[in-house]
Each structure stands twice: as structure tokens, then as C-alpha cells.
Amino acid sequence: MARIIGGLTTSHIPAIGNAVPREKELVNDPYWRDFFAGYPPVRAWVQKMEPDVAIVIYNDHGLNFFLDKMPTFAIGAAAEYKNADEGWGIPTIPPFQGDPELSWHIIESLVDAEFDITSCQEMLVDHGFTVPMQLFWPNYGYTNVRTIPISINTVQHPLPSPARCYKLGQVVGRAVASYPKDIKVVVLGTGGLSHQLDGERAGFINKKFDLMCMDKIVNDPESLARLSIHDLVREAGAQGAEFIQWIAMRGALHGKVSSIHSNYHIPISNTAVGVMILENAA
Ligand code: DHB
Ligand code: FE
């Protein structure tokens, strides 16, 4: 049977997409050093665990979905996912492999559980997806893993509640556990931590709240699922609401997980960066 081996989290700031190709020169740069120091343990874990599939829970920022048509929950069912120019100057990179069979199994499970998701047989993936995949599978190593994008709207209100995202993750977790193929699956939650890109509070960062979230996501995710979107916006900034992607990821893991790596760094661009490995109980 398929098995979820754990969850990985990271922020997905576009500036990182430009820094990744220059990582070797930037590891000694005072601005980037402590940021890049958070990733080697994740890369080592990925190499050791050899997941076959990465389910990437993130938010599209206007590349594939725009304000005219904004699904609350969208899931890819394509054989391949390409990225494209989003206007940040991030180089386009080779495409990502899909896993249509597992995608459809998850889609059927979600609809059966009364989630009215949007299934996408074509889907461009933006920095919310590509930056984390490049950070965890560097040097195009991501081309060896199959991927399933799940995009949760954090761009246009109303956004789904943390509780709803947690439940969606739980259904994804049960769907994987009932998939008959003997594969290892890792679930990514990307976005956050605290940041606000515009308005009066542009540049807002809340270290205390971020560290509380990184603590509770391990063994008390339900307390985070009880927050409202307004709580998240107030405490983490308008774009800090991206934390719902982490909550959905956590829903897909078994009840008990161990945090085997965690790194917090502020800021990159306008954002607090949190990186974690949550290993699922066997
Ligand atoms: C930034 C952060 C994001 O999450 C994003 O999607 C775009 C920009 C930033 O801090 O620059
Ligand atoms: Fe974002």
C-alpha cells in the first residue's frame, strides 16, 4: 500500500527562485547564508527516504488562476506540469512529472468526502510549487519524483478556513493510505510564515506567532485549525494566511509525527522563512 512518510514545509518567496541558481556563491553571503543553511538536512532526508511522489500543497499567485476564476481547492491530474514566466525574473525550469492515476484516486476520495474541488488536467505551476521543489531536490533532482499539485486559494477572499484545510489534508492522507500501489509519498506545505506585501502593514513580521505555529504544527495542529482566517491575517499579515497550506499538509500526516528538523530565518524579501521536516509515525 502507499504510505505517507512525512511532511516538509518551507516558504516560497520568488527571490529564492532567483537565488537558487546562484546558491553556491550565496552560501557565504551574509544575507543568504543562514537561509540556505536550513536546507541541507531536508535534502539529506529526501535522499535517504527516496519518496516516489510529492504532493505539493501551495497557492497559485496568478499564473494558472487569476481573479476572474479562482477555485478554492484545485488539484492537478496531468502527466506533466510546466512553470512559466510570472514576472519575477525567475528562470523557467524543466517540467515536473505528474502521477495522473494517484491524482484521480485522490480526486475521487475528495469528492466522495464532499469536497467540491476543481480537477485540472492542465496546470501551470508557479513559485509556490517550483521554489520548494528546487530547494528540496536541487540540481533538477525533482525530475526523478512524481508530483501532485494541490492549490488552495489564499489570493482572493473569502479564503477557506484553517479547519476546512485541515480536513482536506486528512482526506488526502486517507486517500493515499488506501492506494494499492507500494509507493512512498511526501506531502509539502508551502508558503508563510508571517508576511504582508502591501497596504499599511507592508513588511509586517510576527516572530512570536511564527514560532508558536512551528511548535503547534508538530503535536497540536488542531489548535491551529481552530484559528480563523482573520486571526491569521491579524497575527501573520495578509499573505501570512498562506499558513493554511501548512495546516492542510499536517492534516495528511498521521496523528503522531516527530519534528526532525526546523529552521526559522527572517527576513528573505518581506517574509519570515520556516523550514521543517515532520516525520510520520511508522
Ligand atoms: C514574497 C513572498 C511570497 O509568499 C510571495 O508569494 C511573493 C513575494 C516576498 O516576500 O517577496
Ligand atoms: Fe506566496
Side-chain angles (χ1 to χ4, degrees):
M1 298 299 272
R3 185 160 63 88
I4 293 187
I5 55 174
L8 302 175
T9 71
T10 178
S11 315
H12 59 216
I13 307 147
I16 305 166
N18 284 310
V20 161
R22 299 170 53 221
E23 176 180 346
K24 286 212 162 45
E25 52 185 288
L26 294 178
V27 285
N28 293 319
D29 180 309
Y31 186 80
W32 289 99
R33 188 179 48 219
D34 296 342
F35 164 77
F36 278 118
Y39 293 89
V42 189
R43 294 167 184 171
W45 186 83
V46 163
Q47 281 204 341
K48 184 181 85 175
M49 303 299 278
E50 296 185 316
D52 302 288
V53 175
I55 297 175
V56 185
I57 306 181
Y58 73 109
N59 55 287
D60 183 89
H61 301 73
L63 180 68
N64 193 73
F65 305 113
F66 200 59
L67 304 179
D68 58 337
K69 300 178 201 76
M70 183 56 68
T72 301
F73 300 114
I75 166 164
E80 185 179 90
Y81 303 98
K82 294 195 166 99
N83 74 330
D85 184 7
E86 297 173 57
W88 301 100
I90 307 175
T92 49
I93 51 174
F96 295 80
Q97 289 183 64
D99 186 334
E101 194 182 324
L102 179 55
S103 283
W104 283 111
H105 176 77
I106 296 172
I107 290 167
E108 290 197 16
S109 305
L110 283 166
V111 173
D112 200 46
E114 301 179 351
F115 276 92
D116 306 317
I117 43 90
T118 300
S119 54
C120 304
Q121 300 194 57
E122 279 185 6
M123 196 169 180
L124 289 172
V125 288
D126 79 356
H127 68 272
F129 178 104
T130 61
V131 163
M133 288 300 293
Q134 284 182 282
L135 284 166
F136 297 155
W137 285 264
N139 305 313
Y140 308 126
Y142 67 78
T143 52
N144 298 315
V145 62
R146 302 191 297 281
T147 60
I148 298 181
I150 299 182
S151 175
I152 302 182
N153 169 34
T154 59
V155 170
Q156 174 156 281
H157 289 262
L159 313 186
S161 69
R164 186 75 176 144
C165 296
Y166 189 66
K167 283 185 198 143
L168 176 119
Q170 288 177 314
V171 176
V172 171
R174 284 199 295 272
V176 172
S178 70
Y179 189 63
K181 286 194 177 166
D182 195 14
I183 54 169
K184 290 183 278 185
V185 177
V186 65
V187 186
L188 274 58
T190 93
L193 290 170
S194 58
H195 63 304
Q196 172 142 343
L197 299 179
D198 48 23
E200 272 176 29
R201 293 201 305 162
F204 176 77
I205 280 180
N206 186 345
K207 179 173 178 181
K208 192 165 163 230
F209 183 76
D210 290 339
L211 294 179
M212 184 279 289
C213 288
M214 289 177 80
D215 177 45
K216 298 277 186 200
I217 196 88
V218 185
N219 280 323
D220 188 15
E222 269 145 39
S223 70
L224 299 173
R226 282 193 291 272
L227 297 172
S228 69
I229 286 292
H230 286 104
D231 292 331
L232 282 182
V233 170
R234 188 180 60 247
E235 299 299 328
Q239 280 71 40
E242 288 179 344
F243 188 66
I244 56 176
Q245 320 298 353
W246 291 41
I247 296 176
M249 172 283 300
R250 183 62 183 84
L253 308 184
H254 294 312
K256 225 173 159 36
V257 303
S258 28
S259 162
I260 59 171
H261 171 67
S262 139
N263 192 61
Y264 181 76
H265 175 71
I266 35 180
I268 291 295
S269 187
N270 296 292
T271 301
V273 180
V275 182
M276 298 188 81
I277 307 175
L278 301 178
E279 198 167 277
N280 232 339

